[in-house]
Amino acid sequence: MLLGLSCLIMPQISLCGEERREGDEGMYNIMEEAQYEFHAVDLPSKLCFCPQVEYNDKSDSLFFNDGVRRIDFILVYEDEEIRERKEYEKRHQIQRRREYFEASLMNMGMELEAVKSVMDEGVVFVKVHMPWKVLCTYAEVLHIKVPIQPNDMASRPSMWDCISCFTKHFYPNEDLIRKEPEFFTAPFERDRQEYFHIKDKDHFFTPSMRSRMAFYILSSAPYEIRGNIKKFGINKLLDSGIYKAAYPLHDCRFNVRSQEEGCPNERLLLYEEWAHPKNFYKVQPFDLIRKYFGEKIGIYFAWLGFYTFMLALAAAVGLACFFYGYRTQETSTWSKEVCDPEIGGKIVMCPQCDLCKYWMLNSTCDTSKKLCIFDNFGTLVFAVFMSVWVTLFLEFWKRYQAELEYDWDTVEFLEQEEPPRPEYEAKCIYERKNPITGVKEKVPYTACGRCIRVSIGIGTVLFWIMLILASIVAIIVYRLAVFFALSIKLRNTDELKNFEPIKEYVTPQMATSVTASLISFVVIMILNILYERVAIWITDFELPRTRTDYENSLTLKMFLFQFVNYYSSCFYIAFVKGKAVGHPGAPVYLLGKYRNEECDPGGCLIELTTQLSIIMGGKAILNNIQEVLLPWLKNHMSRLCCGRAAEKVTPRWEQDYKLQAMSKLGLFYEYLEMVIQFGFVTLFVASFPLAPALALLNNLLEIRVDAWKFVTQFRRIVPEKCQDIGAWQPILQGVAILAVATNAMIIAFTSDMIPRLVYYWSFSVYPYGDHNNHSMQGFINNSLSYFNINDFHNTSIGIVNEEPQNITFCRYRDYRFPPGHPRQYEHNMLYWHVIAAKMAFIIVVEHIVYFTKFILAYVIPDVPYAVKEQIKREKYLTQVILHETKLKLMTKRSVPPADGTTANEESIVTNEEEDDDC
């Protein structure tokens, strides 16, 4: 289709200095009509090849050797005749495809120039240039929006203007990065060039626009025709190794100013004012990022920066909650009672495993104090605040995204129909009728085959999810076994001599929790690496048609797996552990052998906090090491292999070739990492108020690390249009909705908040309590039930003969009737009061928060009023231009020409003149 379009809109093109018009026997006839077979048919004798020149020793040059034509793209290949690594027939086929492809590019109007590598004569660099006519053509094809006139709407005053003298230190240097002038824009049209703000044709289309158009042509140019099948696209040639790389050029070295006249040195500016670690506190120069890397990279950093900015508020409130708990840990009534020798020191607790010993409650004094830091009334307020915060974050992000859409000209962005992936086209062997166009087309599978592929994919994903759950069960068994062993050893004073500095902190619960969390983190990382390959294999097997379909399919698989992988252990601790343990004398067993794990008398919240801190912190450290160390090591080794001295004289395109190529999945892993972090910050924040602060510190580093990679370690990325963050937006919204339920359930079932409130308001005073006023005194004694040690069975407890002297009863955490009661060991009325309060709390909090979220989402408009006005103004100007153009065209056609030609003849002449101008 594109080739046919080129034949219509470019009737005159240049090949090797010759002028070829429609009707001539040339490349158009070859590509459209001939049935080309590489082994049977030779290329036509008139086919022109890419001219090769010598390097002109200008290391900073961004132009062809003539110094006039700008390099818009670079293609790299290895000269097979020099390498002589492949057999002659294979080498000849590769050369034929490459020559055909380059001839196709020249036939489509692009200009090429080849130069050999300075460091390796077997490597050839092909420089690609797009003349003005080609730029005009494909700017119209791709609906690229360009300036029509300066923005004449006055900007609204902002509250930040009043404190600009203070905030200016947080912005990039305005002398280096000047603010871009604001223009109203419209999609480019060749026939209306006079209405666009064209001052200089060489700089009218930015380098990122030129690179995007060049890549579009490279992706559409054919390299082989077999019968009715046309093979095309640079991606296929890269995958098959015919070309080693294809990339646009950086405009200079990141740490040295270019000596090339007129070079903008935008890469240097980005490094000095954005990617350098010293700028961690500065606002990102989004307009320059978008201008240099394109909208897709720009919207990622805009989202990451906005997310980090919003985290600052959450981190401040979380830190306040943490410090409140830290200051009140010594004064909280329940921790005092646990540590009091007259209360906790006289309460004998029942064994927590079959071969464990009795223990005193005050042995968990330190754990109870630490628990008070995270389990206090401030935590309840913080959990509700975070539920509202996540709504504000998503709603304000929509507003900010709408502003970026207008500023970056993506409001009416119409994504072009994506070409099929090379892997998809290569396996198209079946025919079907397109339900939309009614035309027969090739597909790689039948309806039944597609169903089988999807079923295998779903089955594989479910198998790996079950594998994760199996690993969680294995870790639970480990926890039970280790707790059993440590309960025997650590209760013995002699065993703690080796832990003299930390013996007061070493408890069976804490030791088991920390080691299990570390093992869980290692298992998570290993399964993550393995499943990443499995997910890619499944997605490749399903054969999605386009790149967008491929990324969406992989996104869903990876997120589902990572959700289960990272969060399953946290869900177990929060909602499963200690919830079905029975009572002493009648415990619940796992797999009929292992006694179910119980929570510490203070609850499982401290263990959940430990799990979150280890996984979240370990993941952040490991990811940053990988992102910084691996690219740097690869580039460093490449420089060592090539020699440092030669780097100073190598041309710009060869310096970029040594850098790392961006992954095919682009920003997928960057988004995935941040979304998983967002889950930790929101889903379990009620147990870990420091999570937003840790995320904030990580993101401040993450922004600069990613910027450093893109600017210094990676080749320049092909700019892509992008309107929003894509499939990640609904995922974030789903996590935000789930976070309300999980935090309410953590406070209700994992925290001790509800039992404390029930005791304070109901059971501490008459008729249930002995206190005259509401008080927390006596809560510990009220929350522990009695058990007669004579009711232990020899089959379930192995230490009956080691029972403490003069002790008849032991205590355990539950609300049950005491021994001797007609309903002994059954749940008492207090238990049902607490359960009712927990369920009421969940229902009330969820409804209040969801209602608040709904109100906020309704009150906060997705598009700011000022942006709506500017969009309307821009549409009005575009309509005026179209109207004036039609009037002029009608006037020209209606007025009789002075030389006696007819109106139709004059119209034809006019159209030919316009074509020549473009």
Side-chain angles (χ1 to χ4, degrees), residues 497-537:
K497 290 181 179 179
N498 296 329
F499 302 96
E500 189 64 32
I502 58 172
K503 67 178 183 180
E504 59 178 305
Y505 302 105
V506 178
T507 63
Q509 291 88 354
M510 182 57 66
T512 302
S513 176
V514 172
T515 56
S517 297
L518 290 173
I519 293 174
S520 178
F521 173 72
V522 173
V523 171
I524 284 171
M525 298 284 51
I526 294 175
L527 289 177
N528 194 24
I529 294 173
L530 294 176
Y531 181 75
E532 179 182 328
R533 299 180 180 179
V534 173
I536 294 175
W537 176 83

Side-chain angles (χ1 to χ4, degrees), residues 295-552:
E295 287 77 9
K296 193 167 188 176
I297 299 295
I299 201 72
Y300 164 72
F301 280 103
W303 176 81
L304 182 56
F306 185 82
Y307 171 45
T308 304
F309 173 77
M310 291 293 292
L311 274 176
L313 177 61
V317 179
L319 286 172
C321 177
F322 173 79
F323 286 122
Y324 169 78
Y326 184 81
R327 293 194 62 179
T328 58
Q329 63 174 329
E330 299 289 345
T331 59
S332 63
T333 305
W334 48 87
S335 63
K336 281 184 176 181
E337 291 186 349
V338 171
C339 299
D340 191 341
E342 298 299 322
I343 302 177
K346 293 184 177 181
I347 296 179
V348 179
M349 301 297 296
C350 297
Q352 291 186 299
C353 65
D354 288 347
L355 296 179
C356 296
K357 297 182 179 181
Y358 296 93
W359 52 285
M360 307 305 294
L361 179 62
N362 65 348
S363 64
T364 62
C365 175
D366 293 318
T367 304
S368 298
K369 289 181 179 180
K370 300 299 182 294
L371 178 65
C372 293
I373 299 176
F374 302 101
D375 190 6
N376 53 69
F377 294 109
T379 306
L380 173 60
V381 176
F382 183 59
V384 176
F385 166 80
M386 286 300 296
S387 299
V388 177
W389 173 88
V390 72
T391 302
L392 293 174
F393 163 66
L394 293 175
E395 293 303 318
F396 281 120
W397 164 245
K398 291 178 184 178
R399 285 174 59 86
Y400 184 51
Q401 186 172 252
E403 295 178 8
L404 292 177
E405 287 177 11
Y406 173 75
D407 292 338
W408 293 356
D409 297 323
T410 60
V411 175
E412 296 179 350
F413 168 56
L414 300 176
E415 187 174 355
Q416 303 301 305
E417 183 181 355
E418 290 186 81
R421 296 169 57 245
E423 297 83 357
Y424 179 89
E425 280 193 319
K427 297 185 179 181
C428 288
I429 57 176
Y430 301 100
E431 280 192 354
R432 72 154 191 172
K433 185 177 181 181
N434 190 305
I436 299 175
T437 62
V439 179
K440 287 187 176 181
E441 61 181 7
K442 292 283 187 178
V443 293
Y445 36 62
T446 62
C448 181
R450 176 176 175 78
C451 182
I452 293 174
R453 288 174 182 268
V454 173
S455 300
I456 293 175
I458 294 175
T460 307
V461 172
L462 292 177
F463 168 78
W464 276 85
I465 290 178
M466 295 301 295
L467 184 62
I468 297 174
L469 299 179
S471 69
I472 297 300
V473 173
I475 293 175
I476 294 173
V477 173
Y478 164 84
R479 298 169 72 100
L480 297 174
V482 170
F483 177 77
F484 163 74
L486 293 179
S487 295
I488 296 176
K489 290 187 176 182
L490 296 185
R491 296 300 177 189
N492 190 343
T493 307
D494 295 335
E495 295 288 342
L496 288 174
K497 290 181 179 179
N498 296 329
F499 302 96
E500 189 64 32
I502 58 172
K503 67 178 183 180
E504 59 178 305
Y505 302 105
V506 178
T507 63
Q509 291 88 354
M510 182 57 66
T512 302
S513 176
V514 172
T515 56
S517 297
L518 290 173
I519 293 174
S520 178
F521 173 72
V522 173
V523 171
I524 284 171
M525 298 284 51
I526 294 175
L527 289 177
N528 194 24
I529 294 173
L530 294 176
Y531 181 75
E532 179 182 328
R533 299 180 180 179
V534 173
I536 294 175
W537 176 83
I538 296 172
T539 310
D540 290 339
F541 178 74
E542 290 177 355
L543 277 180
R545 185 176 183 273
T546 64
R547 179 183 175 85
T548 299
D549 295 338
Y550 184 91
E551 290 183 355
N552 290 341

Side-chain angles (χ1 to χ4, degrees), residues 10-206:
M10 290 189 292
Q12 183 175 338
I13 59 174
S14 176
L15 271 179
C16 300
E18 296 182 356
E19 297 294 327
R20 300 191 183 276
R21 299 180 180 273
E22 282 184 306
D24 291 349
E25 294 181 1
M27 273 297 300
Y28 281 119
N29 295 332
I30 294 172
M31 290 187 289
E32 292 294 330
E33 299 175 4
Q35 295 185 358
Y36 186 82
E37 295 288 343
F38 276 109
H39 300 289
V41 182
D42 290 332
L43 290 170
S45 58
K46 294 184 180 180
L47 180 67
C48 296
F49 301 101
C50 173
Q52 192 167 102
V53 298
E54 295 294 330
Y55 172 47
N56 59 6
D57 295 327
K58 294 183 178 180
S59 60
D60 292 331
S61 177
L62 302 175
F63 297 87
F64 280 28
N65 273 16
D66 57 17
V68 177
R69 293 173 292 175
R70 183 182 183 87
I71 300 174
D72 296 315
F73 225 86
I74 290 291
L75 304 176
V76 187
Y77 67 88
E78 290 185 348
D79 193 333
E80 299 297 335
E81 294 182 356
I82 295 178
R83 297 295 191 195
E84 295 183 352
R85 291 184 302 189
K86 295 183 174 67
E87 58 186 20
Y88 174 78
E89 183 178 359
K90 182 68 173 177
R91 193 164 64 241
H92 186 62
Q93 183 187 45
I94 291 175
Q95 184 178 356
R96 289 287 187 110
R97 288 186 174 182
R98 184 165 55 243
E99 289 173 351
Y100 194 99
F101 181 73
E102 292 175 2
S104 301
L105 294 177
M106 291 188 290
N107 191 59
M108 297 170 76
M110 304 182 82
E111 298 176 1
L112 309 181
E113 183 178 87
V115 60
K116 286 190 174 182
S117 168
V118 174
M119 301 300 302
D120 186 353
E121 64 177 2
V123 176
V124 179
F125 295 88
V126 179
K127 296 176 276 188
V128 180
H129 169 74
M130 298 183 67
W132 175 252
K133 292 181 180 180
V134 180
L135 288 172
C136 292
T137 299
Y138 286 94
E140 185 172 357
V141 170
L142 296 177
H143 303 280
I144 290 180
K145 301 183 76 173
V146 290
I148 51 178
Q149 76 171 44
N151 189 336
D152 56 0
M153 297 185 69
S155 59
R156 295 175 178 269
S158 172
M159 67 174 183
W160 300 108
D161 298 337
C162 303
I163 54 174
S164 58
C165 58
F166 301 102
T167 59
K168 66 179 181 180
H169 301 291
F170 297 95
Y171 285 85
N173 191 338
E174 295 183 358
D175 296 331
L176 297 176
I177 301 179
R178 295 181 175 85
K179 187 177 181 181
E180 294 289 331
E182 295 184 5
F183 287 92
F184 291 118
T185 60
F188 183 80
E189 296 185 32
R190 295 180 303 132
D191 298 334
R192 302 182 175 92
Q193 291 186 46
E194 65 273 15
Y195 295 102
F196 293 97
H197 198 268
I198 303 177
K199 288 186 177 180
D200 183 0
K201 290 184 177 181
D202 293 335
H203 298 91
F204 179 65
F205 295 108
T206 64

